[in-house]
Amino acid sequence: MAPALLLIPAALASFILAFGTGVEFVRFTSLRPLLGVAPEPGGPDARQGWLAAVQDRSILVPLAWDLGLLLLFVGQHSLMATEIVKAWMSRYFGVLQRSLYVACTALALQLVMRYWEPVPRGPVLWEARAEPWATWVPLLCFVLHVISWLLIFSILLVFDYAELMGLKQVYYHVLGLGEPLALKSPRALRLFSHLRHPVCVELLMVLWVVPTLGTDRLLLALLLTLYLGLAHGLDQQDLRYLRAQLQRKLHLLSRPQEGEAE
């Protein structure tokens, strides 16, 4: 086990890397398709049709490259979340297990974003080209993306952002408070084991709501949608727990403060 003084900077470095990657992911998924779309060579008429695209190496090669990047990210994100790997990491890295997982996920996502190959000549599933749609659809998409990201950040705070990033585990360890998850109720632990991605709906909105859905964006949206769907396993017991927690929080917020009725 590393000395306590070395644990804090290691956890902070992982947090900074994850935070920077999150900012870059917002640019990659929202700002680039909404604000930074470059015109295709030769205009829309130069794009391939769907049947011609499956025979064009200039389209298939970058798509295969992008698919490999996505599979690398999904494989890392899933493999390191298994109980066997988590137990091994806890054995050798101790309380830094969560921070290491977050750092590796951020690095894998950085590889996807930095080496992603656009396919400008590929076919598109939809595109807002004619006015007034060419003006209003990007604006509507921008507003929906802003709302989605605000919801994502709010939900992450509700789900204990410090614990998700591994900071809370190190903080509790240094103070001798034990494991943060040990203080949570069995129903909360059961929910966390089923709900690996608490921002699924909002991420789907970001992935699909774009003014132009090209070939590489379609690949990104399809694969991540499939992954997010498989990562969820909520049942009626989980939903009842979520509803009970929401009602409890609403009751606390609506309860009058002391002295208010006097």
Side-chain angles (χ1 to χ4, degrees), residues 37-262:
V37 180
E40 291 79 4
D45 294 335
R47 299 197 190 106
Q48 299 281 353
W50 290 99
L51 293 179
V54 299
Q55 303 175 7
D56 192 337
R57 288 181 55 85
S58 66
I59 294 177
L60 295 180
V61 171
L63 281 181
W65 175 261
D66 294 340
L67 178 61
L69 291 174
L70 288 173
L71 292 178
L72 174 65
F73 168 73
V74 170
Q76 173 274 324
H77 202 54
S78 300
L79 181 63
M80 294 188 68
T82 60
E83 293 301 326
I84 296 177
V85 176
K86 287 166 64 175
W88 180 86
M89 291 172 59
S90 298
R91 177 181 178 185
Y92 289 99
F93 297 97
V95 73
L96 289 177
Q97 178 265 326
R98 182 66 188 181
S99 295
L100 182 61
Y101 172 76
V102 169
C104 290
T105 298
L107 290 175
L109 192 55
Q110 285 283 353
L111 289 176
V112 172
M113 296 184 293
R114 290 182 181 275
Y115 295 102
W116 187 263
E117 289 286 345
V119 188
R121 295 185 66 250
V124 296
L125 192 60
W126 66 70
E127 181 181 22
R129 290 170 52 186
E131 293 293 346
W133 310 114
T135 299
W136 290 105
V137 170
L139 179 60
L140 176 62
C141 291
F142 179 80
V143 172
L144 291 176
H145 277 231
V146 170
I147 294 174
S148 297
W149 284 116
L150 289 176
L151 289 174
I152 287 173
F153 296 143
S154 301
I155 293 172
L156 289 178
L157 290 176
V158 171
F159 270 75
D160 201 339
Y161 187 75
E163 187 173 329
L164 290 174
M165 295 294 103
L167 287 174
K168 194 171 185 179
Q169 289 85 333
V170 174
Y171 175 75
Y172 273 44
H173 175 78
V174 172
L175 296 182
L177 299 178
E179 173 63 38
L181 284 177
L183 304 178
K184 297 187 180 297
S185 67
R187 290 196 298 172
L189 295 176
R190 186 178 188 276
L191 172 67
F192 293 159
S193 66
H194 290 174
L195 186 61
R196 288 177 51 197
H197 297 276
V199 291
C200 179
V201 175
E202 293 78 11
L203 279 178
L204 292 181
M205 181 79 71
V206 169
L207 291 172
W208 288 99
V209 180
V210 287
T212 301
L213 189 65
T215 313
D216 58 304
R217 180 68 176 209
L218 178 61
L219 175 66
L220 176 71
L222 277 176
L223 194 60
L224 291 186
T225 298
L226 179 63
Y227 177 62
L228 288 171
L230 294 177
H232 283 265
L234 297 183
D235 54 20
Q236 291 298 322
Q237 187 173 343
D238 292 322
L239 295 176
R240 286 195 298 269
Y241 173 74
L242 284 173
R243 184 165 57 249
Q245 291 299 307
L246 177 61
Q247 292 175 350
R248 184 179 66 86
K249 293 180 184 296
L250 291 177
H251 175 71
L252 291 175
L253 291 175
S254 61
R255 189 171 58 184
Q257 301 293 327
E258 293 184 5
E260 184 176 326
E262 298 179 4

